[in-house]
Amino acid sequence: MDATVNRPRPRPLHPVNAFLVSATATLFLGALLSNLAYAMSYQVQWTNFASWFIASGLVFGGVVLLFALVGLRHADRRARGYLLYCGLLLATWLLGFINALLHAKDVWAVMPEGLILSVIVLLLAGAAAWIGLSNPRAGNLS
């Protein structure tokens, strides 16, 4: 007699969500690298690049945050990391928005606060991507 046990496997992260989460972290990495390049060279164009990276990261992050908030309604009660995932995405978006407002100021007024905020936003985006991609239930939307 064979006994089979049906264990439900967690579904993997939806590919669109995985792309958007990783793109958000990558764009905020570009903003940090642009801020570092400006800090080393004082070429104004680097802060323009950082502003565009931050704006793009906010667009992608906003879509991911929207998906996460919709998925919060359907979240599995056993998925502990999902609330943390949503909180990290929200904190990333809010601090990224503050960073965008800071980069809208005069180029000489951006440093060092812009660099510090870029580091914090990148760490938050990386943590959200890590949790979303490593815990299949955390970012599950399908």
Side-chain angles (χ1 to χ4, degrees):
M1 184 167 129
D2 280 336
T4 59
V5 177
N6 268 342
R7 291 189 181 132
R9 287 189 277 161
R11 296 185 320 213
L13 187 64
H14 193 275
V16 173
N17 195 5
F19 169 75
L20 292 172
V21 166
S22 56
T24 301
T26 305
L27 288 166
F28 284 129
L29 173 64
L32 174 65
L33 293 176
S34 296
N35 280 330
L36 284 172
Y38 173 73
M40 296 174 135
S41 67
Y42 293 109
Q43 294 292 323
V44 176
Q45 191 62 33
W46 288 113
T47 58
N48 294 336
F49 290 152
S51 296
W52 281 103
F53 277 126
I54 292 168
S56 301
L58 286 174
V59 169
F60 279 86
V63 173
V64 171
L65 182 61
L66 179 69
F67 284 163
L69 293 177
V70 168
L72 189 61
R73 182 172 172 234
H74 304 291
D76 188 9
R77 298 289 179 215
R78 296 170 296 195
R80 295 181 187 179
Y82 194 77
L83 194 56
L84 178 64
Y85 175 70
C86 290
L88 284 172
L89 287 174
L90 181 63
T92 300
W93 199 89
L94 288 175
L95 286 178
F97 184 72
I98 292 170
N99 198 9
L101 292 177
L102 182 69
H103 276 80
K105 294 192 315 186
D106 185 46
V107 70
W108 296 103
V110 172
M111 291 297 158
E113 294 89 5
L115 183 63
I116 293 168
L117 267 176
S118 290
V119 169
I120 294 170
V121 169
L122 176 64
L123 291 175
L124 288 171
W130 184 281
I131 289 173
L133 294 173
S134 66
N135 185 3
R137 290 185 185 153
N140 194 4
L141 297 175
S142 55

